Amino acid sequence: MSRFRPDSGLTRRMVLTMFLLGLLYVVFVAVLIAVGARAVVVLVIAAGFLLVQYFFSDKIALYAMGGREVSPQEAPQLHAVIDRLSALADMPKPRVAVADSDVPNAFATGRNQKNAVVCVTTGLLRRLDPPELEGVLAHEMSHVAHRDVAVMTIASFLGVVAGLMTRFALYTGLGRNRDNQGGLPIGLIIVLVSTVVYCVSFVLTRMLSRYRELAADRAGAYLTQRPSALASALTKVTGEISRIPTRDLREAQSFNAFYFAPALNRASVAALFATHPPLEKRLEQLARISGELGREA
């Protein structure tokens, strides 16, 4: 529990997404069994990946991004902001990390509040003023409070399984084997089903990802009571990212779903496949909250 505003819409979407992915997983396994595929090993390996990702997601993310935990002596301003937000939200203080990257961004990871870590890049620290930094960190800490980081980790499981099954079918030559009745090759069936499963799970997780970003914007704005600071940070970060070399952005693109703002978000990419809602939509929501808080005052 925390003082971040509960978001029933986010909760419903997380439950619905997990239910649909679970149903899809059951159908997926049933098809594999029906075609006689020996998928036990692959499923065991995928489950192992899930457990590792779930329990060690914080360490994996920090390692992948080159982040390191910093002490209050090393980053006093950053710790001071997180101390204030933790007290304001009445939640355990997450571990604090910094990644040496010019890409201005931040992310939170960890399966629960006690194992959470909030990481910001040096590029973000250089570009934002204290109120803007507070807005970004409130956004990230709301992800932890709402537990949507853990849900996104679990939701990615089915996509991992589908990808592994496709590789398994291709590399083991299952595509050359036919069932006993001379039907379609087992490998071809596995590849087709895995592709469909991967595509559906991909769309579902991206839909959830976009909503969770809007939910985090709302929760962070209400907690700090300064939606304009978060809007300013969003505008500044988006503008600065557009000036970063594409090569550097591609290296960070795999973390888009966990970043405060997408590292690479071209207009040509269909909104259906985006990890974040459009900047305009996020700013419109923050403007409405600003007006609401002004009326309440």
Side-chain angles (χ1 to χ4, degrees):
M1 300 296 293
S2 73
R3 293 198 184 103
F4 278 105
R5 280 200 178 192
D7 194 309
S8 58
L10 177 61
T11 301
R12 288 195 301 270
R13 282 168 173 79
M14 289 194 295
V15 171
L16 178 61
T17 300
M18 295 303 293
F19 172 77
L20 292 176
L21 288 173
L23 182 62
L24 192 62
Y25 177 68
V26 171
V27 173
F28 182 47
V29 173
V31 171
L32 293 178
I33 294 174
V35 300
R38 298 179 179 275
V40 176
V41 175
V42 176
L43 294 177
V44 169
I45 294 174
F49 282 154
L50 173 66
L51 292 176
V52 169
Q53 187 177 4
Y54 180 74
F55 286 103
F56 300 100
S57 60
D58 52 344
K59 296 179 176 60
I60 294 172
L62 285 181
Y63 176 79
M65 287 304 301
R68 65 180 184 88
E69 291 187 41
V70 293
S71 66
Q73 292 72 32
E74 294 175 288
Q77 180 186 2
L78 183 57
H79 272 272
V81 175
I82 292 182
D83 282 334
R84 178 179 180 278
L85 290 173
S86 299
L88 196 61
D90 191 24
M91 62 183 288
K93 179 183 178 181
R95 306 195 314 277
V96 182
V98 173
D100 186 13
S101 171
D102 192 45
V103 178
N105 233 314
F107 66 90
T109 186
R111 65 185 183 276
N112 54 42
Q113 294 184 19
K114 294 181 179 179
N115 295 278
V117 57
V118 173
C119 180
V120 299
T121 64
T122 53
L124 187 79
L125 293 174
R126 283 197 301 269
R127 290 172 170 90
L128 299 189
D129 60 31
E132 292 169 340
L133 179 62
E134 182 182 69
V136 172
L137 293 174
H139 169 105
E140 294 303 329
M141 290 176 65
S142 75
H143 281 313
V144 177
H146 289 153
R147 296 181 174 83
D148 55 63
V149 175
V151 171
M152 285 295 293
T153 299
I154 297 173
S156 66
F157 170 61
L158 191 56
V160 172
V161 173
L164 285 173
M165 285 304 305
T166 301
R167 289 177 175 83
F168 180 75
L170 293 175
Y171 294 156
T172 59
L174 282 176
R176 296 188 296 270
N177 298 327
R178 297 179 178 273
D179 59 26
N180 295 330
Q181 298 177 347
L184 288 174
I186 294 176
L188 178 59
I189 296 174
I190 293 175
V191 170
L192 291 176
V193 173
S194 298
T195 300
V196 172
V197 168
Y198 177 81
C199 291
V200 173
S201 63
F202 181 88
V203 171
L204 287 174
T205 52
R206 290 303 172 98
M207 290 173 62
L208 176 59
S209 177
R210 290 192 295 274
Y211 188 87
R212 70 191 280 267
E213 292 303 321
L214 289 173
D217 286 347
R218 282 195 299 271
Y222 281 121
L223 183 72
T224 63
Q225 298 287 292
R226 286 194 288 189
S228 60
L230 180 56
S232 176
L234 267 170
T235 304
K236 186 179 292 186
V237 167
T238 303
E240 291 294 328
I241 284 179
S242 67
R243 299 185 181 94
I244 301 292
T246 301
R247 176 180 57 82
D248 297 335
L249 295 179
R250 289 191 183 280
E251 294 176 358
Q253 188 179 11
S254 59
F255 282 87
N256 268 359
F258 294 97
Y259 269 147
F260 168 67
L264 194 62
N265 187 23
R266 294 177 176 173
S268 60
V269 178
L272 183 63
F273 304 121
T275 56
H276 290 62
L279 174 63
E280 293 76 16
K281 187 173 183 178
R282 298 176 75 174
L283 295 179
E284 287 173 3
Q285 175 181 252
L286 291 171
R288 288 196 300 270
I289 295 174
S290 183
E292 177 187 333
L293 293 176
R295 289 193 297 273
E296 289 178 356

